[in-house]
Amino acid sequence: MTGALQDQVAIITGASRGIGRASALALAAEGAAVVVNYARSSTAAEAVVDQIAQQGGKAIAVQADVSQADQVEVLIKTTMDQLGRIDVLVNNAGITRDTLLLRMKPEDWQAVIDLNLTGVFLCTRAVSKIMLKQRSGRIINIASVAGLMGNPGQANYSAAKAGVVGFTKTVAKELAARGVTANAIAPGFIETDMTQDLSNTEDILKYIPLGRYGKADEVAGLIRFLAADPAAAYITGQVMNIDGGMVM
Ligand code: NAP
């Protein structure tokens, strides 16, 4: 395959389903060799790898809980051993444990912070060493509109996603001198497993000027843009909303 990411290697955390899966397909279509990280869904992750191979691309599936430092090390080492470099990191893996503040248990708080914020730190720190050395790289963190505007029932999630925004800006400033960019994407409501059980769809749609949920492919298109050279080479430290106009 030839494209904007020819000969590059991209790691996408949580790429077995949803936005991560769509991004893996999109980056592979641009010629990147893709690491399809997952936590539990090995069959789904292998299906993504197979689909990329059928389309003439290259991908490997790597199991790792990215909230755990030792497993992140394995993810990075496996990537370097098998693919030899890392050009793009998409910190996409995320979970929700929604409940109102007064009912939120410390474990609901901790699980969301551990993956959605600490996982982003661990993966970014690990790839930074490699990107600084090669003097190039793209770090793309998936935040959320919840981290910008808050959302009842998501104190844990919105705190983690707001943390991702601050983290992204600091990383952008620390790594810029060596040609490494870091940006965040803040999706609104996107049709994935994460949103399929929401019961208040009618209420939510009232707040979306475009009047519909977004699609994983639409977020993947923005990720592909931020990964591409030279298209996004001069963009760093930004938060890009993709939310049908919810936040403006
Ligand atoms: P999703 O469909 O629920 O998929 C989540 C992905 O994360 C899966 O591939 C899952 O792997 C992986 N994952 C879960 N725990 C993991 C762990 N400990 N280590 C590594 N991977 C793990 O989610 P999505 O809707 O695509 O969301 C993707 C990102 O976008 C998340 O950061 C989410 O917060 C953000 N986001 C989503 C929306 C939305 O409306 N959907 C809106 C704003 C932001 P397994 O299949 O193995 O479990």
Side-chain angles (χ1 to χ4, degrees), residues 14 16-17 19 39-41 65-66 92 143 157 161 188 190 192 195:
S16 49
R17 298 183 278 121
I19 293 168
R40 286 166 298 272
S41 307
D65 174 349
V66 295
N92 167 78
Y157 184 80
K161 295 300 191 182
I190 309 299
T192 68
T195 49

Side-chain angles (χ1 to χ4, degrees), residues 99-144:
T99 190
L100 292 171
L101 177 64
L102 290 180
R103 290 192 201 130
M104 190 170 283
K105 298 189 185 83
E107 50 269 35
D108 298 325
W109 171 269
Q110 202 58 51
V112 170
I113 298 292
D114 283 352
L115 178 60
N116 297 13
L117 184 55
T118 306
V120 174
F121 157 67
L122 292 171
C123 292
T124 303
R125 187 182 58 165
V127 304
S128 294
K129 287 180 201 151
I130 294 158
M131 290 179 172
L132 285 171
K133 216 167 158 188
Q134 75 195 13
R135 292 184 168 268
S136 67
R138 300 285 168 87
I139 296 163
I140 301 165
N141 298 326
I142 311 303
S144 167

Side-chain angles (χ1 to χ4, degrees), residues 12-22 36-42 44-45 62-68 71-72 75 91-97 111 114-116 119-120 123 141-146 154 157 161 164 185-196 198 213-214 216 219 223 242:
I12 300 160
T13 67
S16 49
R17 298 183 278 121
I19 293 168
R21 175 183 177 278
V36 176
N37 161 252
Y38 66 98
R40 286 166 298 272
S41 307
S42 59
V62 181
Q63 195 277 335
D65 174 349
V66 295
S67 69
Q68 304 298 316
Q71 298 191 35
V72 169
L75 171 64
N91 279 309
N92 167 78
I95 53 167
T96 50
R97 292 277 186 280
D114 283 352
L115 178 60
N116 297 13
V120 174
C123 292
N141 298 326
I142 311 303
S144 167
V145 291
Q154 293 197 310
Y157 184 80
K161 295 300 191 182
V164 167
I185 291 178
F189 287 89
I190 309 299
E191 282 172 9
T192 68
D193 293 347
M194 188 176 270
T195 49
Q196 73 175 359
L198 292 176
Y213 280 21
V219 182
I223 291 170
I242 176 161

Side-chain angles (χ1 to χ4, degrees), residues 165-188:
V165 169
F167 176 77
T168 302
K169 292 179 182 182
T170 293
V171 168
K173 287 184 176 175
E174 287 193 17
L175 306 187
R178 297 274 188 102
V180 179
T181 68
N183 291 289
I185 291 178

